[in-house]
Amino acid sequence: MRFAEYAEKLMGMNDSTWQRHANPWSGWSRLTVLPVIALSAWSRVLIGPWAILPASVALAWVWLNPRLFPPPSRKDNWMTRGIFGERVWLKRKSVPIPAGHQRAGNVLNALSAVSGLLFIAGLIWLDLWVTLSGMALTMLLKLWFLDRMAWLYSDMEKVNADYAEWSQSDRTG
């Protein structure tokens, strides 16, 4: 099982949760995850082992966020379409996607993994510039990936009725 599929199962994502996560408030507020993780890791300097508390809050936020907001009232905005595209990306094994989108997604994910390692190294070494550089690169690449996913969704909803339904229906189940 690929990492993304494992993460989706671990997060308990279903149709209803994905629809709620497609709310732009959910998508944009998830950008707070890396800064919160960074602050919790750096807090070990001040509070030692108690840093596990803010780290736990950060992890709880990752799980809670897609469930916190209602499904979006409008489904034509960039963030919503990007999140729909992430669902398409995760289903690419069973529903093939165009080769150009596959390449772009793979490249962006590989670059994001490298920048994520930079971020983690900065947290371990307590190096502010490495931490901030890794975080900024990871967030930039995530936004670029979301942009590609919005594009992927736009292409795939034209050829797949199930995908088109995500942006046309108000169903949450």
Side-chain angles (χ1 to χ4, degrees):
M1 181 181 301
R2 291 184 314 232
F3 176 76
E5 291 170 334
Y6 177 73
E8 183 182 27
K9 285 188 187 302
L10 185 66
M11 288 285 296
M13 299 296 283
N14 58 30
D15 286 343
S16 176
T17 310
W18 273 109
Q19 280 291 324
R20 294 170 73 84
H21 183 41
N23 186 315
W25 284 100
S26 176
W28 287 113
S29 63
R30 268 185 83 101
L31 292 177
T32 63
V33 168
L34 287 183
V36 170
I37 289 171
L39 288 172
S40 67
W42 278 74
S43 73
R44 73 185 191 265
V45 172
L46 296 174
I47 61 177
W50 289 101
I52 195 73
L53 294 176
S56 298
V57 168
L59 291 176
W61 175 242
V62 169
W63 186 87
L64 179 64
N65 176 278
R67 293 159 176 80
L68 192 60
F69 301 95
S73 57
R74 293 186 52 201
K75 298 179 181 175
D76 59 350
N77 64 75
W78 179 83
M79 181 58 79
T80 296
R81 296 181 71 73
I83 292 168
F84 288 161
E86 284 183 314
R87 285 185 77 184
V88 171
W89 175 259
L90 290 171
K91 294 174 178 282
R92 71 190 180 281
K93 227 178 189 177
S94 59
V95 181
I97 63 173
H101 289 299
Q102 179 77 36
R103 272 189 307 278
N106 287 337
V107 167
L108 289 169
N109 278 330
L111 291 171
S112 187
V114 171
S115 67
L117 291 174
L118 186 65
F119 175 65
I120 292 167
L123 296 177
I124 291 168
W125 300 332
L126 292 174
D127 185 308
L128 181 62
W129 294 112
V130 174
T131 299
L132 291 177
S133 297
M135 182 169 52
L137 278 170
T138 301
M139 291 172 76
L140 175 67
L141 289 163
K142 175 62 177 178
L143 290 170
W144 191 356
F145 180 77
L146 273 171
D147 189 57
R148 284 303 301 219
M149 294 302 101
W151 183 1
L152 170 62
Y153 180 70
S154 291
D155 288 351
M156 293 299 290
E157 75 174 329
K158 295 172 190 166
V159 298
N160 185 299
D162 290 336
Y163 293 163
E165 188 178 322
W166 296 344
S167 62
Q168 295 167 0
S169 74
D170 289 324
R171 73 182 176 103
T172 58

